[in-house]
Amino acid sequence: MNPFRRLILRIRFHRNIKTDETINVIDSMVKARKLYKELSMAAHPDKHPHQMDIAEDIMKRLTANKHSYASLILLKKEIEERLK
């Protein structure tokens, strides 16, 4: 393949990738596990017996999104608002 053509294809490829998505993937791989553990301990239904329904709902969503750092950040804000 022509080196000039390869360079043009590489530039086009990098333009097509959205920066936010790549950052979310990297953050998800590095930080999501630690944040998931922290949030699951904070929102566990046993710690909130008076708000059991809300805590169970949040725990289900935490478990479903435990590999997505961006979703966990949103859930962290919700935990701070609804459970404390």
Side-chain angles (χ1 to χ4, degrees), residues 41-55:
M41 288 174 46
H44 199 276
D46 290 343
K47 287 193 174 186
H48 304 282
H50 56 285
Q51 296 176 325
M52 187 76 78
D53 297 334
I54 296 171

Side-chain angles (χ1 to χ4, degrees), residues 43-46 48 51-63 83:
H44 199 276
D46 290 343
H48 304 282
Q51 296 176 325
M52 187 76 78
D53 297 334
I54 296 171
E56 286 177 355
D57 177 52
I58 291 175
M59 279 301 295
K60 286 179 187 176
R61 289 190 287 150
L62 275 174
T63 305
L83 290 179

Side-chain angles (χ1 to χ4, degrees), residues 67-83:
H67 299 293
S68 174
Y69 186 73
S71 298
L72 290 176
I73 292 294
L74 295 174
L75 285 169
K76 181 178 182 178
K77 292 176 185 175
E78 185 177 344
I79 289 169
E80 291 172 354
E81 293 172 1
R82 293 178 74 188
L83 290 179

Side-chain angles (χ1 to χ4, degrees), residues 14-66:
H14 287 293
R15 276 191 207 158
N16 292 337
I17 295 177
K18 294 182 180 177
T19 307
D20 295 337
E21 292 176 9
T22 58
I23 290 173
N24 185 30
V25 170
I26 293 169
D27 284 343
S28 292
M29 291 187 314
V30 176
K31 300 176 185 177
R33 182 176 177 165
K34 182 178 177 183
L35 183 60
Y36 169 74
K37 286 184 178 184
E38 175 186 323
L39 295 178
S40 64
M41 288 174 46
H44 199 276
D46 290 343
K47 287 193 174 186
H48 304 282
H50 56 285
Q51 296 176 325
M52 187 76 78
D53 297 334
I54 296 171
E56 286 177 355
D57 177 52
I58 291 175
M59 279 301 295
K60 286 179 187 176
R61 289 190 287 150
L62 275 174
T63 305
N65 295 308
K66 72 181 186 180

Side-chain angles (χ1 to χ4, degrees), residues 1-11:
M1 182 180 274
N2 183 343
F4 183 69
R5 179 166 167 72
R6 185 183 301 165
L7 177 64
I8 291 173
L9 289 174
R10 183 178 290 172
I11 291 170

